[in-house]
Amino acid sequence: MSSEKKSTIWEKVSTFIVDKRNIFFLFFIAAGIFCLVSTGWVKTNDDITAYLPPETETRQGLTIMENEFTTYATARVMVDNISLGKALALRETLAQIPGVTSVEFYDPDNSESILSDYYRHASALFSLTFDGEAEDPISAQAKEGVTEALDGLDYYINTEVGTGTVDRLGQEIAIVMVVAVFIIITVLLFTSKTYLEVPVLLLTFGAAALLNMGTNFLMGEISFVTNSVAVILQLALAIDYAIILCHRFTEEREYHSAREACINALSKSIPEIAGSSLTTISGLLAMTFMQFRLGYDMGVVLIKAILLSLLSVFTLMPGLLMLFSKGMDKTHHHSFIPKISLWGRMVVKTRYVVPPLFALLVVGAFFLSSKCPYVYGYSTLHTFRQNEDQIAQERIDSTFGSENILAMLVPAGDYAKEQALLSELSRMEHVDTAMGLSNIEAMDGYMLTDTLRPRQLAELLDFDYDTVKLLYAAYAADQGKYGKIVGGLDEFGVPLIDMIFFIHDQVDEGYITLDGELSDMLDDIYDQLVDAKAQLAGSAHSRILLELDLPEESQETFDYLSQLHRVGEKYYDSVLLVGDSTSDLDLSTSFQRDNVLISVLSALFVIIVLVFTFRSAGLPVLLILVIQGSIWINFSFPYIMQSNLFFLSSLIVSSIQMGANIDYAIVISSRYIDLKQRMSSKEAIVEALNLAFPTIATSGTILSAAGILIYFLTSEPAITGIGQCLGRGTIISMLLVMGVLPQILVLGDTIIEKTSFILKPPVTAKRASGTLRVHGRVRGYVSGVVDAEIHGTIQGSLSAMVDSGTIEEHPEQKENELPEPSEKKEARHE
């Protein structure tokens, strides 16, 4: 009695998915509706410094400033083709706009005001301060008022208010998606076997993308970089999985019904696709170890995107294939992809020439890529597409020069130390201005923190001296300095700013009455002091603002930061510097560690996956060599072209290249290893290229097109760099995989063979009695009557009829020694 072949676990799972496809349809419909709503819950962060490690100086300083200080929004406004007289009149107009607290421009009555700082080549520069922080509605309203006041003039506004980075990027990415979908449809139509594959693939990916976007809220907050490029990268990285299953289905459909074809295709594709996804996930996983936490943010979102893509391919797509199967049967067409046998034969013929040249190229690329001109801020980057804010900043900087503002945070409470520090900072080379509470003039030559005695204050404010002494006595009592009251108040000094606040409080509480003119003057001084204190004096720190004449990012600037630290630490135990320059310095320090970490971890994770995939120690090294070579070549271009590259592009793209482009190498290697069992190595590699080319062409074209579109159609420097490097890197990887890798595989065939190994599963003894049917190789003892074809060795005695074949005697083996089994088999009772 014969038994049916036992179903594998994947066949059982596939049967369940196909037969219960309506349940999965309902699940995806419900999940899709939920995710359409939940996409509105996703919070995005457009501040790249928020992802700096908490121990960095910039991050510590920003945290202190957020907690202790108010940073009023500012704007630089340049008006072209305007006379000086009209510019002076415009200054007064701008100053009257609600929400604008101050307008800095050339003042003819001030001998210290320099005309060239504000007016050059018929262009006027106004520096505005708003009455709120960048996110406050009053600042946005003030900006609108400024725009209205400048209507009809040739003007440029550079401000952090209302830039709408997230919204603008959303609009740009929407355009990228439209163009990308058009390109993808074109590519799929060209590489498909039936036209109705395309809607199946698009629906599958659309569901995966929607699920990923709708679950991003679970992370609490994601970066604007991740939010912008995740959908594009998910499409480019994961569409392969759907293509593999679709092609399997069309192959199986030639011999089976739609249901059986779908079950067979899915059961065969699950391990294949899951294995392929591991290399991509490995590369993305390396990103999560970055010290700069934006890598973790993007890595987690993209890993989630890959997993949800797998979920859609394994559970939604089988149902779609069943739904569209009749239409797919009717829309078959001939393949538009040509055979590339000629290319394969040329590759074989040049196998002794190209690899040595490739080795030289890789060595050169390694050194050139190590000199890649990475930058850590936007000041030296130029994008192909520019938005209004970038155009305004470039025009203003080219006419009047760029600004480089730093904040120095020092412990609060000692005005004398602060004044001495400010005095030394003001005299330093490269410091244009240094401003703190201790060097802001209040009135009549007195600084805000100058210590005044009663008579000095009485003369300054034109108060009655005895009244002022009473105020000083009340202040001393309020501060618990009773000794000053007993010892005499004539020599009791109080900082002007503290005394003004105290007098204002006394007036508000009704203890002091001032005449109208004096009251108005006190109110004006008080309002100015409130603004100054909010910006420059915190609960535990004082803030000193420095304007440097150095560029935002240069080695000279970074060295100068150390000099500023040394000066500050002459007066205080520790000081913190915060600004674009310090952010760039912290990012560069973090990048040096992260760059090495990403390179090592991504290669290591991928090698581990490849070793167990191919069961060879040598083959993974050959594959990694090719892809790592493509990475070095990719990042040699910025140095060759003398074009600065934002550091984030390297960290992200190198991980994606190692994790995703390695799949191209895997496709060719897998085909080659399989084919060379039936033909010579040369024939096998030519045929492997023919079979792998459609997959590589489809995936590579989509991924490179996505990168190139991001580069040309977005204006955010951090994102355009990712697009440029991803597009270029994918093309390089495709060329090396199709040209150099086949030659290395043929030449390294001996290495691959000698480093191969077999993982033997554990073998357990089977015991059974009765009439048994055995399939496979058996090692052990048999007692009973045998009726079977036997191919093997028997150690012992034989008494049986031999219908066909021969019996040969073998040399004596060692006692109890038995041949090793090749694989685990079952003995089943019949």
Side-chain angles (χ1 to χ4, degrees), residues 381-424:
L381 295 174
H382 303 279
T383 57
F384 182 84
R385 174 177 179 171
Q386 291 191 309
N387 57 57
E388 290 182 0
D389 296 326
Q390 291 170 323
I391 294 171
Q393 182 174 349
E394 285 194 7
R395 289 298 300 271
I396 295 172
D397 289 350
S398 63
T399 305
F400 290 97
S402 60
E403 282 187 320
N404 190 4
I405 306 296
L406 286 180
M408 178 180 284
L409 302 179
V410 300
D414 194 329
Y415 292 137
K417 275 187 179 181
E418 184 179 331
Q419 194 167 36
L421 173 58
L422 279 164
S423 178
E424 183 169 351

Tab-separated table of all heavy atoms in Angstrom, residues 381-424:
chain	number	residue	atom	x	y	z
A	381	LEU	N	25.930	73.583	0.689
A	381	LEU	CA	25.255	72.651	-0.211
A	381	LEU	C	24.338	73.397	-1.178
A	381	LEU	O	23.706	74.390	-0.804
A	381	LEU	CB	24.428	71.638	0.587
A	381	LEU	CG	25.221	70.682	1.475
A	381	LEU	CD1	24.274	69.833	2.308
A	381	LEU	CD2	26.121	69.785	0.639
A	382	HIS	N	24.282	72.901	-2.401
A	382	HIS	CA	23.410	73.494	-3.418
A	382	HIS	C	22.616	72.368	-4.071
A	382	HIS	O	23.183	71.381	-4.540
A	382	HIS	CB	24.231	74.240	-4.466
A	382	HIS	CG	25.101	75.319	-3.895
A	382	HIS	ND1	24.626	76.564	-3.571
A	382	HIS	CD2	26.420	75.317	-3.562
A	382	HIS	CE1	25.611	77.299	-3.071
A	382	HIS	NE2	26.706	76.559	-3.048
A	383	THR	N	21.308	72.503	-4.077
A	383	THR	CA	20.444	71.472	-4.642
A	383	THR	C	20.049	71.836	-6.068
A	383	THR	O	20.039	73.014	-6.450
A	383	THR	CB	19.169	71.320	-3.792
A	383	THR	OG1	18.500	72.583	-3.699
A	383	THR	CG2	19.524	70.851	-2.391
A	384	PHE	N	19.733	70.798	-6.846
A	384	PHE	CA	19.337	71.026	-8.236
A	384	PHE	C	18.065	71.866	-8.299
A	384	PHE	O	17.966	72.800	-9.081
A	384	PHE	CB	19.116	69.681	-8.938
A	384	PHE	CG	18.756	69.801	-10.384
A	384	PHE	CD1	19.747	69.947	-11.345
A	384	PHE	CD2	17.426	69.785	-10.797
A	384	PHE	CE1	19.424	70.077	-12.687
A	384	PHE	CE2	17.088	69.905	-12.138
A	384	PHE	CZ	18.094	70.063	-13.082
A	385	ARG	N	17.110	71.518	-7.446
A	385	ARG	CA	15.878	72.308	-7.350
A	385	ARG	C	15.951	73.140	-6.079
A	385	ARG	O	16.290	72.628	-5.023
A	385	ARG	CB	14.655	71.386	-7.308
A	385	ARG	CG	13.344	72.121	-7.070
A	385	ARG	CD	12.164	71.179	-7.106
A	385	ARG	NE	10.929	71.889	-6.846
A	385	ARG	CZ	9.724	71.356	-6.988
A	385	ARG	NH1	9.604	70.097	-7.392
A	385	ARG	NH2	8.638	72.051	-6.734
A	386	GLN	N	15.612	74.422	-6.174
A	386	GLN	CA	15.677	75.308	-5.015
A	386	GLN	C	14.304	75.881	-4.704
A	386	GLN	O	13.543	76.242	-5.605
A	386	GLN	CB	16.664	76.450	-5.266
A	386	GLN	CG	18.125	76.005	-5.315
A	386	GLN	CD	19.075	77.188	-5.292
A	386	GLN	OE1	18.923	78.117	-6.071
A	386	GLN	NE2	20.036	77.149	-4.405
A	387	ASN	N	14.005	75.964	-3.405
A	387	ASN	CA	12.760	76.596	-2.991
A	387	ASN	C	12.984	78.081	-2.715
A	387	ASN	O	14.121	78.568	-2.767
A	387	ASN	CB	12.179	75.890	-1.763
A	387	ASN	CG	13.161	75.858	-0.594
A	387	ASN	OD1	13.641	76.885	-0.139
A	387	ASN	ND2	13.453	74.646	-0.100
A	388	GLU	N	11.937	78.798	-2.401
A	388	GLU	CA	12.022	80.246	-2.221
A	388	GLU	C	12.971	80.615	-1.082
A	388	GLU	O	13.710	81.602	-1.176
A	388	GLU	CB	10.631	80.820	-1.949
A	388	GLU	CG	9.698	80.776	-3.153
A	388	GLU	CD	8.354	81.396	-2.847
A	388	GLU	OE1	8.167	81.862	-1.694
A	388	GLU	OE2	7.490	81.432	-3.740
A	389	ASP	N	12.928	79.854	0.004
A	389	ASP	CA	13.794	80.166	1.150
A	389	ASP	C	15.268	80.022	0.787
A	389	ASP	O	16.100	80.836	1.203
A	389	ASP	CB	13.458	79.237	2.328
A	389	ASP	CG	12.044	79.459	2.834
A	389	ASP	OD1	11.572	80.605	2.798
A	389	ASP	OD2	11.409	78.478	3.268
A	390	GLN	N	15.601	78.989	0.031
A	390	GLN	CA	16.996	78.790	-0.372
A	390	GLN	C	17.455	79.895	-1.323
A	390	GLN	O	18.580	80.395	-1.204
A	390	GLN	CB	17.149	77.419	-1.041
A	390	GLN	CG	16.985	76.253	-0.084
A	390	GLN	CD	16.908	74.918	-0.801
A	390	GLN	OE1	16.330	74.816	-1.886
A	390	GLN	NE2	17.474	73.886	-0.201
A	391	ILE	N	16.595	80.277	-2.249
A	391	ILE	CA	16.951	81.355	-3.182
A	391	ILE	C	17.185	82.654	-2.414
A	391	ILE	O	18.161	83.376	-2.673
A	391	ILE	CB	15.833	81.533	-4.235
A	391	ILE	CG1	15.749	80.290	-5.127
A	391	ILE	CG2	16.073	82.781	-5.074
A	391	ILE	CD1	14.546	80.283	-6.051
A	392	ALA	N	16.300	82.938	-1.451
A	392	ALA	CA	16.441	84.164	-0.664
A	392	ALA	C	17.749	84.163	0.126
A	392	ALA	O	18.478	85.169	0.154
A	392	ALA	CB	15.254	84.306	0.280
A	393	GLN	N	18.044	83.034	0.772
A	393	GLN	CA	19.265	82.974	1.570
A	393	GLN	C	20.504	83.150	0.705
A	393	GLN	O	21.438	83.868	1.077
A	393	GLN	CB	19.340	81.648	2.329
A	393	GLN	CG	20.585	81.543	3.217
A	393	GLN	CD	20.587	80.288	4.066
A	393	GLN	OE1	19.586	79.593	4.157
A	393	GLN	NE2	21.706	80.002	4.701
A	394	GLU	N	20.543	82.513	-0.454
A	394	GLU	CA	21.707	82.632	-1.331
A	394	GLU	C	21.884	84.060	-1.834
A	394	GLU	O	23.002	84.574	-1.906
A	394	GLU	CB	21.581	81.656	-2.504
A	394	GLU	CG	21.843	80.217	-2.117
A	394	GLU	CD	22.049	79.315	-3.322
A	394	GLU	OE1	22.124	79.845	-4.458
A	394	GLU	OE2	22.145	78.094	-3.134
A	395	ARG	N	20.775	84.724	-2.187
A	395	ARG	CA	20.872	86.107	-2.670
A	395	ARG	C	21.362	87.047	-1.573
A	395	ARG	O	22.206	87.916	-1.809
A	395	ARG	CB	19.507	86.569	-3.201
A	395	ARG	CG	19.071	85.923	-4.517
A	395	ARG	CD	20.039	86.269	-5.639
A	395	ARG	NE	20.127	87.697	-5.877
A	395	ARG	CZ	19.351	88.391	-6.713
A	395	ARG	NH1	18.417	87.748	-7.406
A	395	ARG	NH2	19.503	89.692	-6.866
A	396	ILE	N	20.835	86.865	-0.364
A	396	ILE	CA	21.248	87.729	0.750
A	396	ILE	C	22.701	87.470	1.121
A	396	ILE	O	23.480	88.413	1.325
A	396	ILE	CB	20.319	87.515	1.965
A	396	ILE	CG1	18.899	87.975	1.632
A	396	ILE	CG2	20.848	88.252	3.186
A	396	ILE	CD1	17.872	87.630	2.690
A	397	ASP	N	23.085	86.195	1.207
A	397	ASP	CA	24.463	85.861	1.574
A	397	ASP	C	25.451	86.345	0.526
A	397	ASP	O	26.556	86.801	0.865
A	397	ASP	CB	24.606	84.344	1.756
A	397	ASP	CG	23.900	83.844	3.010
A	397	ASP	OD1	23.480	84.673	3.824
A	397	ASP	OD2	23.764	82.612	3.151
A	398	SER	N	25.083	86.252	-0.746
A	398	SER	CA	26.006	86.684	-1.798
A	398	SER	C	26.179	88.202	-1.816
A	398	SER	O	27.217	88.705	-2.238
A	398	SER	CB	25.502	86.205	-3.161
A	398	SER	OG	24.251	86.796	-3.473
A	399	THR	N	25.185	88.940	-1.326
A	399	THR	CA	25.262	90.406	-1.326
A	399	THR	C	25.869	90.941	-0.037
A	399	THR	O	26.736	91.831	-0.066
A	399	THR	CB	23.858	91.010	-1.525
A	399	THR	OG1	23.275	90.478	-2.710
A	399	THR	CG2	23.937	92.533	-1.646
A	400	PHE	N	25.431	90.427	1.107
A	400	PHE	CA	25.857	90.983	2.393
A	400	PHE	C	26.668	90.005	3.249
A	400	PHE	O	27.111	90.359	4.336
A	400	PHE	CB	24.629	91.444	3.196
A	400	PHE	CG	23.963	92.657	2.634
A	400	PHE	CD1	22.863	92.540	1.802
A	400	PHE	CD2	24.449	93.929	2.910
A	400	PHE	CE1	22.241	93.654	1.271
A	400	PHE	CE2	23.836	95.056	2.383
A	400	PHE	CZ	22.731	94.927	1.559
A	401	GLY	N	26.865	88.807	2.760
A	401	GLY	CA	27.602	87.827	3.545
A	401	GLY	C	26.678	87.058	4.465
A	401	GLY	O	25.567	87.495	4.782
A	402	SER	N	27.154	85.895	4.890
A	402	SER	CA	26.333	85.032	5.744
A	402	SER	C	26.513	85.388	7.214
A	402	SER	O	27.491	86.031	7.603
A	402	SER	CB	26.694	83.562	5.518
A	402	SER	OG	28.057	83.342	5.824
A	403	GLU	N	25.548	84.956	8.014
A	403	GLU	CA	25.619	85.158	9.466
A	403	GLU	C	26.122	83.885	10.131
A	403	GLU	O	25.823	82.785	9.676
A	403	GLU	CB	24.235	85.469	10.030
A	403	GLU	CG	23.760	86.879	9.804
A	403	GLU	CD	22.452	87.148	10.539
A	403	GLU	OE1	21.595	86.248	10.554
A	403	GLU	OE2	22.302	88.236	11.088
A	404	ASN	N	26.864	84.050	11.198
A	404	ASN	CA	27.273	82.908	12.014
A	404	ASN	C	27.133	83.312	13.474
A	404	ASN	O	27.999	83.983	14.039
A	404	ASN	CB	28.701	82.485	11.698
A	404	ASN	CG	29.059	81.155	12.367
A	404	ASN	OD1	28.212	80.525	13.004
A	404	ASN	ND2	30.298	80.733	12.228
A	405	ILE	N	25.998	82.944	14.061
A	405	ILE	CA	25.665	83.329	15.424
A	405	ILE	C	25.898	82.156	16.363
A	405	ILE	O	25.489	81.025	16.073
A	405	ILE	CB	24.201	83.784	15.545
A	405	ILE	CG1	23.893	84.884	14.527
A	405	ILE	CG2	23.902	84.255	16.964
A	405	ILE	CD1	24.657	86.153	14.738
A	406	LEU	N	26.570	82.419	17.474
A	406	LEU	CA	26.787	81.417	18.518
A	406	LEU	C	26.218	81.924	19.836
A	406	LEU	O	26.209	83.131	20.096
A	406	LEU	CB	28.277	81.141	18.719
A	406	LEU	CG	29.031	80.327	17.674
A	406	LEU	CD1	30.482	80.205	18.098
A	406	LEU	CD2	28.418	78.945	17.513
A	407	ALA	N	25.767	81.004	20.650
A	407	ALA	CA	25.356	81.328	22.016
A	407	ALA	C	26.338	80.660	22.973
A	407	ALA	O	26.639	79.473	22.828
A	407	ALA	CB	23.942	80.842	22.288
A	408	MET	N	26.851	81.437	23.919
A	408	MET	CA	27.701	80.884	24.976
A	408	MET	C	26.891	80.893	26.264
A	408	MET	O	26.412	81.937	26.703
A	408	MET	CB	28.979	81.708	25.148
A	408	MET	CG	29.874	81.195	26.270
A	408	MET	SD	31.392	82.163	26.494
A	408	MET	CE	32.371	81.601	25.118
A	409	LEU	N	26.712	79.713	26.872
A	409	LEU	CA	25.948	79.577	28.105
A	409	LEU	C	26.913	79.472	29.274
A	409	LEU	O	27.809	78.622	29.280
A	409	LEU	CB	25.055	78.341	28.049
A	409	LEU	CG	24.052	78.281	26.897
A	409	LEU	CD1	23.254	76.981	26.961
A	409	LEU	CD2	23.118	79.475	26.915
A	410	VAL	N	26.728	80.370	30.266
A	410	VAL	CA	27.594	80.389	31.455
A	410	VAL	C	26.705	80.365	32.694
A	410	VAL	O	25.530	80.732	32.627
A	410	VAL	CB	28.489	81.642	31.462
A	410	VAL	CG1	29.378	81.678	30.233
A	410	VAL	CG2	27.653	82.917	31.550
A	411	PRO	N	27.234	79.920	33.833
A	411	PRO	CA	26.431	79.935	35.062
A	411	PRO	C	25.969	81.351	35.401
A	411	PRO	O	26.714	82.316	35.248
A	411	PRO	CB	27.404	79.403	36.120
A	411	PRO	CG	28.380	78.583	35.345
A	411	PRO	CD	28.540	79.281	34.038
A	412	ALA	N	24.733	81.470	35.851
A	412	ALA	CA	24.155	82.792	36.146
A	412	ALA	C	24.534	83.250	37.554
A	412	ALA	O	24.976	82.452	38.386
A	412	ALA	CB	22.642	82.725	36.018
A	413	GLY	N	24.370	84.567	37.800
A	413	GLY	CA	24.495	85.097	39.160
A	413	GLY	C	25.676	85.984	39.415
A	413	GLY	O	25.715	86.675	40.441
A	414	ASP	N	26.683	86.009	38.549
A	414	ASP	CA	27.860	86.847	38.779
A	414	ASP	C	28.013	87.808	37.607
A	414	ASP	O	28.645	87.498	36.606
A	414	ASP	CB	29.103	85.969	38.938
A	414	ASP	CG	30.288	86.750	39.513
A	414	ASP	OD1	30.375	87.966	39.248
A	414	ASP	OD2	31.123	86.135	40.204
A	415	TYR	N	27.418	89.024	37.765
A	415	TYR	CA	27.449	89.992	36.666
A	415	TYR	C	28.860	90.508	36.399
A	415	TYR	O	29.199	90.831	35.260
A	415	TYR	CB	26.536	91.177	36.995
A	415	TYR	CG	25.055	90.825	37.014
A	415	TYR	CD1	24.218	91.309	38.018
A	415	TYR	CD2	24.501	90.027	36.028
A	415	TYR	CE1	22.864	91.012	38.043
A	415	TYR	CE2	23.148	89.707	36.039
A	415	TYR	CZ	22.337	90.202	37.055
A	415	TYR	OH	20.994	89.900	37.068
A	416	ALA	N	29.680	90.569	37.438
A	416	ALA	CA	31.039	91.090	37.263
A	416	ALA	C	31.857	90.156	36.359
A	416	ALA	O	32.563	90.604	35.452
A	416	ALA	CB	31.721	91.255	38.620
A	417	LYS	N	31.763	88.844	36.629
A	417	LYS	CA	32.464	87.875	35.782
A	417	LYS	C	31.958	87.946	34.341
A	417	LYS	O	32.729	87.909	33.385
A	417	LYS	CB	32.247	86.452	36.316
A	417	LYS	CG	33.196	86.017	37.414
A	417	LYS	CD	32.963	84.546	37.721
A	417	LYS	CE	33.911	84.062	38.816
A	417	LYS	NZ	33.706	82.621	39.110
A	418	GLU	N	30.649	88.052	34.220
A	418	GLU	CA	30.053	88.093	32.882
A	418	GLU	C	30.531	89.326	32.117
A	418	GLU	O	30.834	89.257	30.931
A	418	GLU	CB	28.526	88.096	32.991
A	418	GLU	CG	27.821	88.028	31.650
A	418	GLU	CD	26.312	88.003	31.795
A	418	GLU	OE1	25.825	87.505	32.830
A	418	GLU	OE2	25.626	88.485	30.867
A	419	GLN	N	30.616	90.455	32.824
A	419	GLN	CA	31.057	91.684	32.163
A	419	GLN	C	32.518	91.583	31.737
A	419	GLN	O	32.897	92.020	30.645
A	419	GLN	CB	30.862	92.880	33.097
A	419	GLN	CG	30.970	94.229	32.412
A	419	GLN	CD	30.459	95.347	33.287
A	419	GLN	OE1	30.636	95.333	34.499
A	419	GLN	NE2	29.817	96.340	32.680
A	420	ALA	N	33.342	90.968	32.582
A	420	ALA	CA	34.755	90.795	32.238
A	420	ALA	C	34.910	89.849	31.048
A	420	ALA	O	35.722	90.092	30.144
A	420	ALA	CB	35.517	90.257	33.453
A	421	LEU	N	34.119	88.781	31.030
A	421	LEU	CA	34.167	87.841	29.911
A	421	LEU	C	33.719	88.517	28.617
A	421	LEU	O	34.357	88.360	27.566
A	421	LEU	CB	33.281	86.630	30.213
A	421	LEU	CG	33.083	85.618	29.074
A	421	LEU	CD1	34.417	85.054	28.602
A	421	LEU	CD2	32.163	84.476	29.516
A	422	LEU	N	32.632	89.279	28.697
A	422	LEU	CA	32.146	89.982	27.511
A	422	LEU	C	33.181	90.966	26.983
A	422	LEU	O	33.360	91.115	25.766
A	422	LEU	CB	30.843	90.723	27.842
A	422	LEU	CG	29.577	89.881	27.830
A	422	LEU	CD1	28.433	90.595	28.537
A	422	LEU	CD2	29.185	89.542	26.397
A	423	SER	N	33.879	91.606	27.883
A	423	SER	CA	34.910	92.567	27.470
A	423	SER	C	36.032	91.867	26.717
A	423	SER	O	36.490	92.343	25.668
A	423	SER	CB	35.466	93.282	28.702
A	423	SER	OG	36.497	94.170	28.328
A	424	GLU	N	36.452	90.698	27.215
A	424	GLU	CA	37.523	89.976	26.530
A	424	GLU	C	37.033	89.385	25.206
A	424	GLU	O	37.762	89.409	24.204
A	424	GLU	CB	38.064	88.866	27.427
A	424	GLU	CG	39.237	88.113	26.792
A	424	GLU	CD	39.967	87.186	27.751
A	424	GLU	OE1	39.685	87.234	28.971
A	424	GLU	OE2	40.833	86.421	27.285
